[in-house]
Amino acid sequence: MPAPQDNPPARRQRLSRVVNIGLPYLWLGVFFLLPLLIVLQISVAEPRLGQPPYTPLWEWLESGVLQIQVNLQNFMLVWEDSIYLTAFLNSLWVALVCTLLCLLIGYPMAYAIATAPPRWRIPLLMLVILPFWTSFLIRVYAWIGILKTNGLLNHLLLALGVIDTPLNILHTQTAVYIGVVYSYLPFMILPLYANLSRLDPTLLEAAADLGCRPLRAFVRVTLPLSLAGIVAGSMLVFIPVVGEFVIPDLLGGPETLMVGKLLWTEFFGNKDWPLAAALAIVLLGLLVVPFVLMQRLERRMEDSA
Amino acid sequence: MRRRRWPLLSLLAFGYAFLYVPILLLIVYSFNESRLVTVWSGFSIKWYRELLHNQQLLEAAWLSVRIAAVNATLAVVLGTLAANALVRHGRFRGRNAFELLLTAPLVMPDVIIGLSMLLLFVAMQHGLGWPDGRGFTTIAIAHITFSTAYVAVVVRTRLAQMDASLEEAAMDLGARPLTVYLRITLPLIAPALLSGWLLAFTLSLDDLVIASFVSGPGSTTLPMVVYSSVRMGVSPQINALATLIVAVVTLAVIIAGVTSLRGSRTQRRR
């Protein structure tokens, strides 16, 4: 490329940069990054009555002195009140269990689709994506009718004689597991499929030629090569599930404490904006590690591609 | 090898059953006469009739569709610009931060996006006097922000896979970069723009949490109405609504599938 000079092509190139890089940068800076900084600011404010319902971070006093007020009470409360700590631990636990369950169901599915005859792959994949296009809320709602005490699942099991008394599944943590796995399964299958379908089949043939049994070949060849897909899919499930609100709210019960629901209650129920902001900041802090992991992996795959 | 496939195929069948049985049950019970979802008492379309007379729900649906359309259009513009930047501008300064800003909204929990957007709007109203109150505009801005990230993923993939020789040929023939982009590049990535638009539209139509944070009085979206009626328990009207949504989505997918099939056939014929 020639050195940039102030001739028309160089100017056009600069304009293209300003538009392509600048506009999305500006939008995401103002409407994504800045809001997170404001959350940080309000997490160290005190709640008060009025509009807005929190104290300002800085104030010019009449004497011309800038007064900065930082209040760490909200974070102390999150640390000391066991309800918040329990909610955070339980959210991480639910996300972990569901990620493993999605992997357990999603991996064989992705593998079966990736190894299906080529003309079947796209329709099979479309069938995985299709539920994702129908309303998330309504798909969660579907499980209420199935899992209720007098719901469809209990009717079926009673009719088959498997159980004598109806099971109580709705409004328990089990229902949350089912709802999360159901809703997030496509997010696991898609990156796994993308990874597995690019796998070179000659590697497995070579392993077979050298006398390696199929299961061993899978464990020693396919599994390590699909690690990138496993991590990508797991992160796409794990990170949003930690902060999930709809599923624990509709399917969970009183013992399913999750931080997304708690934040919602603090904000809409108790109108304690600073405490809700503090919960968001702690949640964000917890998710930074898996997010950076995902980001690194993505960049490595991009470089190798 | 062939004989060993049945365990895998039965797992696949189980997986699809898991994904589809709940949706099929919703559809079946939308035609149930009884209000009780578990008791079948005869075929009826009365829930559809009630749905079409539910003024609150229809108004909310209309608001949601308008927000979704505005959101999808602007998100396609911003997302395509971002994809251009990532594919065409190499290692520009601040690229890592740029990519971070484009990836984070994909996985960020809704409660954090919703809360942070609301706090921004409150601070802006306090400091700048804009936006005056919350509603259509604030919901649309919040939706555009996360939809842009999704569109960028879709368009970026297509842009990276595109055959560059057509653009180079146009450039060699003396076309200006903007002309090349508008007349060669955009038509070639049009399918990705369309799927990005549809994805953004769906995401917006589907969002409950973020909209709940940034909406104001008088701007109730469809998911908010569905949510408040679902919280009251099972309601056959919601089943009817679900059936309509599934019907529209399935139809759209079939049309998209047939069109792309026909498209690839004509391309091969050439």
Side-chain angles (χ1 to χ4, degrees), chain A residues 16 20 25 27 31 35 115 124 127 130 133 135-138 141 150 182 249 267 302, chain B residues 5 16 18-20 38 81 84 89 94 116-118 145 156 202 206 223 227 235 239 242:
Chain A
S16 154
N20 285 324
Y25 227 141
W27 182 284
F31 293 119
T115 54
L124 284 174
L127 278 177
L130 196 65
W133 289 80
S135 167
F136 171 72
L137 194 56
I138 285 176
Y141 157 75
N150 59 351
Y182 177 68
D249 186 59
F267 185 85
E302 211 174 282
Chain B
R5 278 191 70 81
Y16 283 119
F18 176 60
L19 284 176
Y20 281 92
T38 40
L81 292 180
N84 287 341
H89 285 288
S116 65
M117 291 299 274
L118 172 71
T145 305
R156 181 186 182 179
T202 317
D206 209 17
Y227 175 70
S235 138
N239 287 44

mmCIF file of all heavy atoms in Angstrom, chain A residues 16 20 25 27 31 35 115 124 127 130 133 135-138 141 150 182 249 267 302, chain B residues 5 16 18-20 38 81 84 89 94 116-118 145 156 202 206 223 227 235 239 242:
data_model
loop_
_atom_site.group_PDB
_atom_site.id
_atom_site.type_symbol
_atom_site.label_atom_id
_atom_site.label_comp_id
_atom_site.label_asym_id
_atom_site.label_seq_id
_atom_site.Cartn_x
_atom_site.Cartn_y
_atom_site.Cartn_z
ATOM 1 N N SER A 16 -13.560 6.529 5.223
ATOM 2 C CA SER A 16 -14.084 5.179 5.422
ATOM 3 C C SER A 16 -13.768 4.684 6.829
ATOM 4 O O SER A 16 -14.599 4.064 7.493
ATOM 5 C CB SER A 16 -13.491 4.253 4.364
ATOM 6 O OG SER A 16 -13.461 2.937 4.816
ATOM 7 N N ASN A 20 -16.662 3.670 9.379
ATOM 8 C CA ASN A 20 -16.766 2.250 9.734
ATOM 9 C C ASN A 20 -16.337 1.965 11.166
ATOM 10 O O ASN A 20 -16.943 1.151 11.856
ATOM 11 C CB ASN A 20 -15.929 1.399 8.779
ATOM 12 C CG ASN A 20 -16.583 1.255 7.428
ATOM 13 O OD1 ASN A 20 -17.798 1.174 7.335
ATOM 14 N ND2 ASN A 20 -15.785 1.243 6.382
ATOM 15 N N TYR A 25 -18.099 2.530 17.212
ATOM 16 C CA TYR A 25 -17.317 2.791 18.425
ATOM 17 C C TYR A 25 -18.043 3.793 19.312
ATOM 18 O O TYR A 25 -18.207 3.602 20.519
ATOM 19 C CB TYR A 25 -15.949 3.348 18.038
ATOM 20 C CG TYR A 25 -14.777 2.696 18.746
ATOM 21 C CD1 TYR A 25 -13.592 2.427 18.072
ATOM 22 C CD2 TYR A 25 -14.853 2.367 20.097
ATOM 23 C CE1 TYR A 25 -12.523 1.827 18.694
ATOM 24 C CE2 TYR A 25 -13.771 1.771 20.732
ATOM 25 C CZ TYR A 25 -12.616 1.509 20.034
ATOM 26 O OH TYR A 25 -11.552 0.925 20.657
ATOM 27 N N TRP A 27 -21.222 4.703 19.236
ATOM 28 C CA TRP A 27 -22.504 4.189 19.738
ATOM 29 C C TRP A 27 -22.287 3.274 20.944
ATOM 30 O O TRP A 27 -22.919 3.432 21.990
ATOM 31 C CB TRP A 27 -23.255 3.453 18.632
ATOM 32 C CG TRP A 27 -24.599 2.955 19.086
ATOM 33 C CD1 TRP A 27 -24.846 1.874 19.877
ATOM 34 C CD2 TRP A 27 -25.871 3.563 18.834
ATOM 35 N NE1 TRP A 27 -26.183 1.757 20.125
ATOM 36 C CE2 TRP A 27 -26.843 2.778 19.503
ATOM 37 C CE3 TRP A 27 -26.286 4.692 18.107
ATOM 38 C CZ2 TRP A 27 -28.202 3.080 19.455
ATOM 39 C CZ3 TRP A 27 -27.652 4.977 18.071
ATOM 40 C CH2 TRP A 27 -28.589 4.183 18.733
ATOM 41 N N PHE A 31 -23.543 4.023 24.645
ATOM 42 C CA PHE A 31 -24.699 3.261 25.109
ATOM 43 C C PHE A 31 -24.368 1.907 25.720
ATOM 44 O O PHE A 31 -25.249 1.172 26.121
ATOM 45 C CB PHE A 31 -25.711 3.096 23.973
ATOM 46 C CG PHE A 31 -26.351 4.383 23.566
ATOM 47 C CD1 PHE A 31 -26.203 4.878 22.291
ATOM 48 C CD2 PHE A 31 -27.086 5.127 24.486
ATOM 49 C CE1 PHE A 31 -26.787 6.074 21.921
ATOM 50 C CE2 PHE A 31 -27.669 6.319 24.125
ATOM 51 C CZ PHE A 31 -27.513 6.805 22.840
ATOM 52 N N PRO A 35 -22.777 3.440 30.260
ATOM 53 C CA PRO A 35 -23.755 2.977 31.257
ATOM 54 C C PRO A 35 -23.120 2.113 32.343
ATOM 55 O O PRO A 35 -23.493 2.215 33.511
ATOM 56 C CB PRO A 35 -24.741 2.157 30.429
ATOM 57 C CG PRO A 35 -24.655 2.719 29.068
ATOM 58 C CD PRO A 35 -23.248 3.170 28.890
ATOM 59 N N THR A 115 -21.612 -35.353 11.388
ATOM 60 C CA THR A 115 -21.208 -36.549 10.660
ATOM 61 C C THR A 115 -22.353 -37.115 9.810
ATOM 62 O O THR A 115 -22.227 -38.185 9.235
ATOM 63 C CB THR A 115 -20.715 -37.642 11.627
ATOM 64 O OG1 THR A 115 -21.726 -37.871 12.609
ATOM 65 C CG2 THR A 115 -19.421 -37.243 12.297
ATOM 66 N N LEU A 124 -30.995 -30.325 9.519
ATOM 67 C CA LEU A 124 -30.890 -30.727 10.930
ATOM 68 C C LEU A 124 -30.481 -29.544 11.800
ATOM 69 O O LEU A 124 -30.991 -29.357 12.905
ATOM 70 C CB LEU A 124 -29.881 -31.865 11.087
ATOM 71 C CG LEU A 124 -30.358 -33.248 10.649
ATOM 72 C CD1 LEU A 124 -29.217 -34.257 10.708
ATOM 73 C CD2 LEU A 124 -31.511 -33.727 11.518
ATOM 74 N N LEU A 127 -33.300 -27.176 12.337
ATOM 75 C CA LEU A 127 -34.231 -27.662 13.356
ATOM 76 C C LEU A 127 -33.745 -27.312 14.762
ATOM 77 O O LEU A 127 -34.546 -27.175 15.684
ATOM 78 C CB LEU A 127 -34.403 -29.182 13.235
ATOM 79 C CG LEU A 127 -35.392 -29.662 12.183
ATOM 80 C CD1 LEU A 127 -35.405 -31.176 12.122
ATOM 81 C CD2 LEU A 127 -36.791 -29.146 12.490
ATOM 82 N N LEU A 130 -34.469 -23.323 14.926
ATOM 83 C CA LEU A 130 -35.866 -22.896 14.833
ATOM 84 C C LEU A 130 -36.491 -22.524 16.190
ATOM 85 O O LEU A 130 -37.091 -21.454 16.306
ATOM 86 C CB LEU A 130 -36.689 -23.980 14.128
ATOM 87 C CG LEU A 130 -38.050 -23.550 13.609
ATOM 88 C CD1 LEU A 130 -37.899 -22.528 12.507
ATOM 89 C CD2 LEU A 130 -38.824 -24.750 13.080
ATOM 90 N N TRP A 133 -35.834 -19.054 17.426
ATOM 91 C CA TRP A 133 -36.507 -17.915 16.799
ATOM 92 C C TRP A 133 -37.892 -17.681 17.374
ATOM 93 O O TRP A 133 -38.471 -16.625 17.177
ATOM 94 C CB TRP A 133 -36.619 -18.119 15.288
ATOM 95 C CG TRP A 133 -35.318 -17.996 14.572
ATOM 96 C CD1 TRP A 133 -34.363 -18.956 14.487
ATOM 97 C CD2 TRP A 133 -34.814 -16.860 13.874
ATOM 98 N NE1 TRP A 133 -33.300 -18.478 13.774
ATOM 99 C CE2 TRP A 133 -33.549 -17.200 13.374
ATOM 100 C CE3 TRP A 133 -35.328 -15.583 13.605
ATOM 101 C CZ2 TRP A 133 -32.777 -16.315 12.636
ATOM 102 C CZ3 TRP A 133 -34.553 -14.709 12.853
ATOM 103 C CH2 TRP A 133 -33.288 -15.080 12.382
ATOM 104 N N SER A 135 -40.475 -17.244 20.599
ATOM 105 C CA SER A 135 -40.270 -16.459 21.813
ATOM 106 C C SER A 135 -39.705 -17.280 22.977
ATOM 107 O O SER A 135 -40.215 -18.328 23.343
ATOM 108 C CB SER A 135 -41.604 -15.852 22.231
ATOM 109 O OG SER A 135 -41.499 -15.356 23.526
ATOM 110 N N PHE A 136 -38.628 -16.732 23.547
ATOM 111 C CA PHE A 136 -37.968 -17.318 24.711
ATOM 112 C C PHE A 136 -38.935 -17.427 25.891
ATOM 113 O O PHE A 136 -39.077 -18.474 26.517
ATOM 114 C CB PHE A 136 -36.783 -16.410 25.062
ATOM 115 C CG PHE A 136 -36.095 -16.722 26.344
ATOM 116 C CD1 PHE A 136 -35.299 -17.842 26.459
ATOM 117 C CD2 PHE A 136 -36.221 -15.865 27.418
ATOM 118 C CE1 PHE A 136 -34.643 -18.119 27.641
ATOM 119 C CE2 PHE A 136 -35.566 -16.140 28.609
ATOM 120 C CZ PHE A 136 -34.783 -17.262 28.717
ATOM 121 N N LEU A 137 -39.652 -16.334 26.139
ATOM 122 C CA LEU A 137 -40.595 -16.274 27.253
ATOM 123 C C LEU A 137 -41.644 -17.374 27.124
ATOM 124 O O LEU A 137 -41.990 -18.052 28.093
ATOM 125 C CB LEU A 137 -41.259 -14.897 27.212
ATOM 126 C CG LEU A 137 -42.034 -14.431 28.427
ATOM 127 C CD1 LEU A 137 -41.166 -14.460 29.648
ATOM 128 C CD2 LEU A 137 -42.563 -13.032 28.175
ATOM 129 N N ILE A 138 -42.144 -17.560 25.901
ATOM 130 C CA ILE A 138 -43.207 -18.538 25.688
ATOM 131 C C ILE A 138 -42.675 -19.964 25.815
ATOM 132 O O ILE A 138 -43.361 -20.859 26.308
ATOM 133 C CB ILE A 138 -43.876 -18.284 24.319
ATOM 134 C CG1 ILE A 138 -44.765 -17.048 24.448
ATOM 135 C CG2 ILE A 138 -44.667 -19.475 23.842
ATOM 136 C CD1 ILE A 138 -45.409 -16.602 23.180
ATOM 137 N N TYR A 141 -42.556 -20.605 29.380
ATOM 138 C CA TYR A 141 -43.936 -20.763 29.830
ATOM 139 C C TYR A 141 -44.450 -22.175 29.535
ATOM 140 O O TYR A 141 -45.204 -22.749 30.329
ATOM 141 C CB TYR A 141 -44.807 -19.712 29.139
ATOM 142 C CG TYR A 141 -46.269 -20.016 29.038
ATOM 143 C CD1 TYR A 141 -47.085 -19.906 30.157
ATOM 144 C CD2 TYR A 141 -46.840 -20.418 27.841
ATOM 145 C CE1 TYR A 141 -48.432 -20.181 30.079
ATOM 146 C CE2 TYR A 141 -48.180 -20.700 27.747
ATOM 147 C CZ TYR A 141 -48.978 -20.581 28.865
ATOM 148 O OH TYR A 141 -50.312 -20.865 28.788
ATOM 149 N N ASN A 150 -50.488 -30.673 38.777
ATOM 150 C CA ASN A 150 -51.507 -31.356 37.969
ATOM 151 C C ASN A 150 -51.226 -31.128 36.483
ATOM 152 O O ASN A 150 -52.127 -30.934 35.684
ATOM 153 C CB ASN A 150 -52.910 -30.887 38.350
ATOM 154 C CG ASN A 150 -53.077 -29.389 38.169
ATOM 155 O OD1 ASN A 150 -52.092 -28.676 37.911
ATOM 156 N ND2 ASN A 150 -54.287 -28.898 38.276
ATOM 157 N N TYR A 182 -33.110 -26.394 28.386
ATOM 158 C CA TYR A 182 -33.991 -26.319 27.230
ATOM 159 C C TYR A 182 -33.751 -25.042 26.418
ATOM 160 O O TYR A 182 -33.658 -25.069 25.200
ATOM 161 C CB TYR A 182 -35.442 -26.373 27.709
ATOM 162 C CG TYR A 182 -36.457 -26.244 26.617
ATOM 163 C CD1 TYR A 182 -36.603 -27.255 25.679
ATOM 164 C CD2 TYR A 182 -37.265 -25.130 26.515
ATOM 165 C CE1 TYR A 182 -37.529 -27.143 24.671
ATOM 166 C CE2 TYR A 182 -38.192 -25.004 25.509
ATOM 167 C CZ TYR A 182 -38.321 -26.020 24.585
ATOM 168 O OH TYR A 182 -39.238 -25.908 23.585
ATOM 169 N N ASP A 249 -37.394 -16.932 37.802
ATOM 170 C CA ASP A 249 -38.601 -16.248 38.252
ATOM 171 C C ASP A 249 -39.848 -17.069 37.944
ATOM 172 O O ASP A 249 -40.745 -17.170 38.776
ATOM 173 C CB ASP A 249 -38.697 -14.869 37.586
ATOM 174 C CG ASP A 249 -39.858 -14.068 38.137
ATOM 175 O OD1 ASP A 249 -39.855 -13.829 39.356
ATOM 176 O OD2 ASP A 249 -40.761 -13.723 37.369
ATOM 177 N N PHE A 267 -34.379 -3.698 42.606
ATOM 178 C CA PHE A 267 -34.641 -2.529 41.773
ATOM 179 C C PHE A 267 -36.131 -2.206 41.708
ATOM 180 O O PHE A 267 -36.555 -1.097 42.027
ATOM 181 C CB PHE A 267 -34.088 -2.740 40.360
ATOM 182 C CG PHE A 267 -34.221 -1.520 39.505
ATOM 183 C CD1 PHE A 267 -33.265 -0.536 39.558
ATOM 184 C CD2 PHE A 267 -35.323 -1.351 38.695
ATOM 185 C CE1 PHE A 267 -33.409 0.615 38.806
ATOM 186 C CE2 PHE A 267 -35.474 -0.211 37.933
ATOM 187 C CZ PHE A 267 -34.509 0.774 37.993
ATOM 188 N N GLU A 302 -9.069 -17.113 15.469
ATOM 189 C CA GLU A 302 -9.057 -16.200 14.343
ATOM 190 C C GLU A 302 -7.655 -16.145 13.723
ATOM 191 O O GLU A 302 -7.504 -16.142 12.506
ATOM 192 C CB GLU A 302 -9.419 -14.821 14.865
ATOM 193 C CG GLU A 302 -10.134 -13.944 13.898
ATOM 194 C CD GLU A 302 -10.554 -12.681 14.616
ATOM 195 O OE1 GLU A 302 -11.542 -12.715 15.354
ATOM 196 O OE2 GLU A 302 -9.834 -11.710 14.478
ATOM 197 N N ARG B 5 -23.959 -46.422 14.315
ATOM 198 C CA ARG B 5 -24.544 -45.080 14.385
ATOM 199 C C ARG B 5 -25.842 -45.010 15.187
ATOM 200 O O ARG B 5 -26.267 -43.933 15.558
ATOM 201 C CB ARG B 5 -24.771 -44.538 12.967
ATOM 202 C CG ARG B 5 -23.506 -43.954 12.378
ATOM 203 C CD ARG B 5 -23.800 -43.186 11.109
ATOM 204 N NE ARG B 5 -24.524 -41.954 11.361
ATOM 205 C CZ ARG B 5 -23.935 -40.827 11.773
ATOM 206 N NH1 ARG B 5 -22.671 -40.795 11.983
ATOM 207 N NH2 ARG B 5 -24.655 -39.743 11.971
ATOM 208 N N TYR B 16 -34.015 -33.783 19.711
ATOM 209 C CA TYR B 16 -35.051 -33.054 18.978
ATOM 210 C C TYR B 16 -36.401 -33.160 19.682
ATOM 211 O O TYR B 16 -37.169 -32.192 19.700
ATOM 212 C CB TYR B 16 -35.147 -33.563 17.537
ATOM 213 C CG TYR B 16 -34.036 -33.036 16.666
ATOM 214 C CD1 TYR B 16 -33.129 -33.883 16.047
ATOM 215 C CD2 TYR B 16 -33.884 -31.672 16.479
ATOM 216 C CE1 TYR B 16 -32.096 -33.393 15.268
ATOM 217 C CE2 TYR B 16 -32.863 -31.174 15.704
ATOM 218 C CZ TYR B 16 -31.973 -32.034 15.100
ATOM 219 O OH TYR B 16 -30.956 -31.535 14.341
ATOM 220 N N PHE B 18 -36.845 -33.383 22.875
ATOM 221 C CA PHE B 18 -36.737 -32.459 23.997
ATOM 222 C C PHE B 18 -36.993 -31.026 23.534
ATOM 223 O O PHE B 18 -37.679 -30.247 24.209
ATOM 224 C CB PHE B 18 -35.342 -32.603 24.605
ATOM 225 C CG PHE B 18 -35.032 -31.657 25.726
ATOM 226 C CD1 PHE B 18 -35.803 -31.661 26.885
ATOM 227 C CD2 PHE B 18 -33.954 -30.801 25.650
ATOM 228 C CE1 PHE B 18 -35.514 -30.796 27.928
ATOM 229 C CE2 PHE B 18 -33.649 -29.936 26.688
ATOM 230 C CZ PHE B 18 -34.435 -29.934 27.821
ATOM 231 N N LEU B 19 -36.472 -30.681 22.348
ATOM 232 C CA LEU B 19 -36.636 -29.313 21.856
ATOM 233 C C LEU B 19 -38.061 -29.040 21.369
ATOM 234 O O LEU B 19 -38.565 -27.934 21.482
ATOM 235 C CB LEU B 19 -35.649 -29.039 20.704
ATOM 236 C CG LEU B 19 -34.191 -28.811 21.078
ATOM 237 C CD1 LEU B 19 -33.334 -28.658 19.831
ATOM 238 C CD2 LEU B 19 -34.032 -27.587 21.957
ATOM 239 N N TYR B 20 -38.716 -30.076 20.820
ATOM 240 C CA TYR B 20 -39.978 -29.803 20.135
ATOM 241 C C TYR B 20 -41.245 -30.194 20.882
ATOM 242 O O TYR B 20 -42.297 -29.594 20.654
ATOM 243 C CB TYR B 20 -39.968 -30.437 18.732
ATOM 244 C CG TYR B 20 -39.182 -29.576 17.783
ATOM 245 C CD1 TYR B 20 -37.834 -29.782 17.564
ATOM 246 C CD2 TYR B 20 -39.780 -28.485 17.169
ATOM 247 C CE1 TYR B 20 -37.097 -28.955 16.746
ATOM 248 C CE2 TYR B 20 -39.068 -27.646 16.347
ATOM 249 C CZ TYR B 20 -37.730 -27.887 16.138
ATOM 250 O OH TYR B 20 -37.012 -27.043 15.340
ATOM 251 N N THR B 38 -54.493 -29.038 31.226
ATOM 252 C CA THR B 38 -54.210 -30.472 31.262
ATOM 253 C C THR B 38 -55.396 -31.337 30.872
ATOM 254 O O THR B 38 -55.257 -32.514 30.649
ATOM 255 C CB THR B 38 -53.745 -30.864 32.662
ATOM 256 O OG1 THR B 38 -54.541 -30.160 33.603
ATOM 257 C CG2 THR B 38 -52.299 -30.529 32.837
ATOM 258 N N LEU B 81 -21.359 -1.593 9.491
ATOM 259 C CA LEU B 81 -20.194 -0.715 9.596
ATOM 260 C C LEU B 81 -19.125 -1.376 10.470
ATOM 261 O O LEU B 81 -17.937 -1.407 10.121
ATOM 262 C CB LEU B 81 -20.591 0.634 10.207
ATOM 263 C CG LEU B 81 -21.500 1.535 9.374
ATOM 264 C CD1 LEU B 81 -21.800 2.817 10.125
ATOM 265 C CD2 LEU B 81 -20.861 1.846 8.035
ATOM 266 N N ASN B 84 -17.452 -4.123 8.602
ATOM 267 C CA ASN B 84 -16.500 -3.533 7.649
ATOM 268 C C ASN B 84 -15.199 -3.195 8.353
ATOM 269 O O ASN B 84 -14.108 -3.491 7.854
ATOM 270 C CB ASN B 84 -17.044 -2.224 7.067
ATOM 271 C CG ASN B 84 -18.158 -2.456 6.068
ATOM 272 O OD1 ASN B 84 -18.286 -3.551 5.550
ATOM 273 N ND2 ASN B 84 -18.959 -1.441 5.833
ATOM 274 N N HIS B 89 -10.360 -3.135 7.823
ATOM 275 C CA HIS B 89 -9.415 -2.130 8.282
ATOM 276 C C HIS B 89 -8.261 -2.697 9.095
ATOM 277 O O HIS B 89 -7.557 -1.958 9.783
ATOM 278 C CB HIS B 89 -10.130 -1.020 9.049
ATOM 279 C CG HIS B 89 -10.871 -0.093 8.130
ATOM 280 N ND1 HIS B 89 -10.226 0.803 7.320
ATOM 281 C CD2 HIS B 89 -12.186 0.030 7.857
ATOM 282 C CE1 HIS B 89 -11.128 1.451 6.606
ATOM 283 N NE2 HIS B 89 -12.322 0.991 6.899
ATOM 284 N N GLY B 94 -6.822 0.495 18.782
ATOM 285 C CA GLY B 94 -8.047 0.322 19.550
ATOM 286 C C GLY B 94 -8.901 -0.825 19.055
ATOM 287 O O GLY B 94 -10.059 -0.940 19.411
ATOM 288 N N SER B 116 -28.082 -0.816 33.510
ATOM 289 C CA SER B 116 -27.103 0.203 33.139
ATOM 290 C C SER B 116 -27.707 1.201 32.138
ATOM 291 O O SER B 116 -27.476 2.406 32.242
ATOM 292 C CB SER B 116 -25.848 -0.450 32.572
ATOM 293 O OG SER B 116 -26.131 -1.107 31.373
ATOM 294 N N MET B 117 -28.518 0.697 31.190
ATOM 295 C CA MET B 117 -29.139 1.607 30.225
ATOM 296 C C MET B 117 -30.089 2.562 30.939
ATOM 297 O O MET B 117 -30.133 3.755 30.641
ATOM 298 C CB MET B 117 -29.930 0.813 29.177
ATOM 299 C CG MET B 117 -29.109 0.011 28.231
ATOM 300 S SD MET B 117 -28.010 0.980 27.241
ATOM 301 C CE MET B 117 -29.004 1.454 25.906
ATOM 302 N N LEU B 118 -30.856 2.024 31.869
ATOM 303 C CA LEU B 118 -31.797 2.890 32.577
ATOM 304 C C LEU B 118 -31.049 3.987 33.332
ATOM 305 O O LEU B 118 -31.422 5.161 33.272
ATOM 306 C CB LEU B 118 -32.645 2.082 33.567
ATOM 307 C CG LEU B 118 -33.479 3.007 34.446
ATOM 308 C CD1 LEU B 118 -34.580 3.656 33.649
ATOM 309 C CD2 LEU B 118 -34.029 2.305 35.641
ATOM 310 N N THR B 145 -28.379 -1.383 20.720
ATOM 311 C CA THR B 145 -27.045 -1.589 21.279
ATOM 312 C C THR B 145 -26.656 -3.067 21.297
ATOM 313 O O THR B 145 -25.573 -3.429 20.860
ATOM 314 C CB THR B 145 -26.978 -0.993 22.689
ATOM 315 O OG1 THR B 145 -27.361 0.370 22.607
ATOM 316 C CG2 THR B 145 -25.580 -1.097 23.255
ATOM 317 N N ARG B 156 -20.010 -10.101 9.504
ATOM 318 C CA ARG B 156 -18.567 -10.281 9.482
ATOM 319 C C ARG B 156 -18.177 -11.621 8.848
ATOM 320 O O ARG B 156 -17.262 -11.693 8.023
ATOM 321 C CB ARG B 156 -18.076 -10.226 10.936
ATOM 322 C CG ARG B 156 -16.608 -10.363 11.083
ATOM 323 C CD ARG B 156 -16.282 -10.449 12.547
ATOM 324 N NE ARG B 156 -14.849 -10.528 12.726
ATOM 325 C CZ ARG B 156 -14.266 -10.598 13.903
ATOM 326 N NH1 ARG B 156 -14.993 -10.571 14.994
ATOM 327 N NH2 ARG B 156 -12.973 -10.678 13.996
ATOM 328 N N THR B 202 -36.148 -10.313 15.730
ATOM 329 C CA THR B 202 -36.603 -11.330 16.667
ATOM 330 C C THR B 202 -36.110 -11.051 18.078
ATOM 331 O O THR B 202 -36.862 -11.186 19.048
ATOM 332 C CB THR B 202 -36.077 -12.715 16.230
ATOM 333 O OG1 THR B 202 -36.235 -12.823 14.837
ATOM 334 C CG2 THR B 202 -36.820 -13.815 16.921
ATOM 335 N N ASP B 206 -38.480 -10.263 21.404
ATOM 336 C CA ASP B 206 -38.422 -11.299 22.418
ATOM 337 C C ASP B 206 -37.998 -10.766 23.784
ATOM 338 O O ASP B 206 -38.111 -11.453 24.787
ATOM 339 C CB ASP B 206 -37.406 -12.346 21.947
ATOM 340 C CG ASP B 206 -37.737 -13.716 22.478
ATOM 341 O OD1 ASP B 206 -38.878 -13.898 22.915
ATOM 342 O OD2 ASP B 206 -36.853 -14.583 22.472
ATOM 343 N N PRO B 223 -43.758 -8.711 25.202
ATOM 344 C CA PRO B 223 -43.268 -9.619 26.243
ATOM 345 C C PRO B 223 -43.688 -9.191 27.656
ATOM 346 O O PRO B 223 -43.922 -10.047 28.514
ATOM 347 C CB PRO B 223 -41.750 -9.550 26.091
ATOM 348 C CG PRO B 223 -41.531 -9.168 24.685
ATOM 349 C CD PRO B 223 -42.662 -8.255 24.338
ATOM 350 N N TYR B 227 -45.608 -11.648 30.005
ATOM 351 C CA TYR B 227 -45.019 -11.969 31.300
ATOM 352 C C TYR B 227 -46.028 -11.772 32.425
ATOM 353 O O TYR B 227 -46.192 -12.643 33.279
ATOM 354 C CB TYR B 227 -43.784 -11.087 31.532
ATOM 355 C CG TYR B 227 -43.162 -11.231 32.889
ATOM 356 C CD1 TYR B 227 -42.488 -12.395 33.249
ATOM 357 C CD2 TYR B 227 -43.233 -10.196 33.814
ATOM 358 C CE1 TYR B 227 -41.912 -12.515 34.498
ATOM 359 C CE2 TYR B 227 -42.659 -10.309 35.058
ATOM 360 C CZ TYR B 227 -41.997 -11.474 35.407
ATOM 361 O OH TYR B 227 -41.434 -11.590 36.643
ATOM 362 N N SER B 235 -52.376 -19.598 30.805
ATOM 363 C CA SER B 235 -53.508 -18.946 30.149
ATOM 364 C C SER B 235 -53.569 -19.390 28.693
ATOM 365 O O SER B 235 -52.598 -19.257 27.963
ATOM 366 C CB SER B 235 -53.335 -17.431 30.253
ATOM 367 O OG SER B 235 -53.667 -16.831 29.042
ATOM 368 N N ASN B 239 -51.141 -19.600 24.824
ATOM 369 C CA ASN B 239 -50.924 -20.738 23.931
ATOM 370 C C ASN B 239 -51.278 -20.377 22.492
ATOM 371 O O ASN B 239 -50.554 -20.715 21.556
ATOM 372 C CB ASN B 239 -51.798 -21.924 24.354
ATOM 373 C CG ASN B 239 -51.298 -22.589 25.606
ATOM 374 O OD1 ASN B 239 -50.924 -21.907 26.556
ATOM 375 N ND2 ASN B 239 -51.264 -23.896 25.609
ATOM 376 N N ALA B 242 -48.600 -18.206 21.145
ATOM 377 C CA ALA B 242 -47.416 -19.017 20.849
ATOM 378 C C ALA B 242 -47.582 -19.717 19.513
ATOM 379 O O ALA B 242 -46.661 -19.758 18.690
ATOM 380 C CB ALA B 242 -47.195 -20.039 21.957
#
